[in-house]
Amino acid sequence: MLRVRGAVSLTFALAALAGAGFGQRYTSPPANAGVKIAGKQIGVEYYAPSMHGRRIMGELVPFGQVWCPGANIATGLTTEADLQIGTLKLPKGAWSIWAIPGEKEWTLVINKQTGQNHLDYDSAEDFGRTKMTVTMLSAPVETFRIALTANGGTKGTLSLIWETTEASIPFTVLQ
C-alpha cells in the first residue's frame, strides 16, 4: 500500500506509479529535414518527441484537433521557391506547419506565423489547408520524424512519421 504525505510526496508518488523516476524528464531534441529541388532549398525545423511507452495517435495526439507536429516551438517550414503543396500555391518564405490528424485522413495546415510556442495555434493566421495521404506502418517509429524527399525534377514529398502512422503530401517547386 502506498502512503503519501503532503503535495510534494504525492507528486513523486504519482510519478513513480506512472513509471517516471525522480528527476526524469522527457525532452524533445531539435531536429531538421532539408532537400534541394530544382536548385532551391526547402527545409523544416522542429523538435522531435518520442513515444516513451505512450499511445500517440488518437490519445496523446487527439484525432480531429489541430496539432503541432513536434514539440516546444511550432514546426517551421522555409522555402526558397514558391511551392504547389497539395491544393495550395505557397509563396517562398517562412511558415509554420500544423496538422489535423484523423484515423484515415489528415489535413496539413500552413500558417503565416513562425516561432510561436507549439501550443499557440491561431487559425486566423492560416494560409490554407490541404489533405494528406495516410499510410499505416508495419513497425512503430519511436521518435517523431519529418522527412523531405526529392522525387525527380521539380517534385518532392513532405512526410510526418510517428508511431505506426505516416502522413504525406507531394509538392512541386514552381519556377
Side-chain angles (χ1 to χ4, degrees):
M1 179 171 178
L2 181 66
R3 283 187 93 180
V4 177
R5 291 183 183 212
V8 173
S9 295
L10 178 60
T11 300
F12 290 119
L14 291 174
L17 288 172
F22 176 76
Q24 183 175 0
R25 184 173 177 211
Y26 297 138
T27 58
S28 300
N32 61 66
V35 67
K36 193 170 241 181
I37 297 176
K40 302 295 183 178
Q41 188 67 38
I42 298 112
V44 176
E45 292 187 1
Y46 63 104
Y47 287 82
S50 293
M51 289 172 37
H52 297 295
R54 303 173 291 183
R55 178 153 165 80
I56 304 302
M57 298 305 160
E59 289 188 21
L60 181 66
V61 176
F63 291 136
Q65 296 180 25
V66 173
W67 168 62
C68 179
N72 304 338
I73 304 299
T75 297
L77 168 70
T78 56
T79 175
E80 293 180 342
D82 295 349
L83 301 178
Q84 181 73 43
I85 185 163
T87 59
L88 301 175
K89 187 173 182 178
L90 185 68
K92 68 181 177 182
W95 309 88
S96 61
I97 60 173
W98 304 76
I100 303 171
E103 289 184 60
K104 297 186 188 321
E105 183 176 86
W106 281 39
T107 300
L108 178 69
V109 180
I110 306 289
N111 191 275
K112 298 174 208 168
Q113 287 185 310
T114 60
Q116 70 272 37
N117 181 282
H118 77 287
L119 300 175
D120 293 339
Y121 169 70
D122 182 355
S123 63
E125 296 294 324
D126 282 357
F127 175 80
R129 298 176 176 202
T130 188
K131 297 293 180 198
M132 301 181 81
T133 301
V134 177
T135 305
M136 299 313 294
L137 305 173
S138 59
V141 173
E142 171 69 23
T143 301
F144 174 71
R145 183 168 52 97
I146 296 178
L148 287 170
T149 55
N151 299 332
T154 59
K155 307 245 183 247
T157 302
L158 167 70
S159 301
L160 309 176
I161 306 158
W162 202 12
E163 198 182 38
T164 55
T165 303
E166 179 176 345
S168 62
I169 189 163
F171 64 87
T172 302
V173 172
L174 302 175
Q175 304 193 22

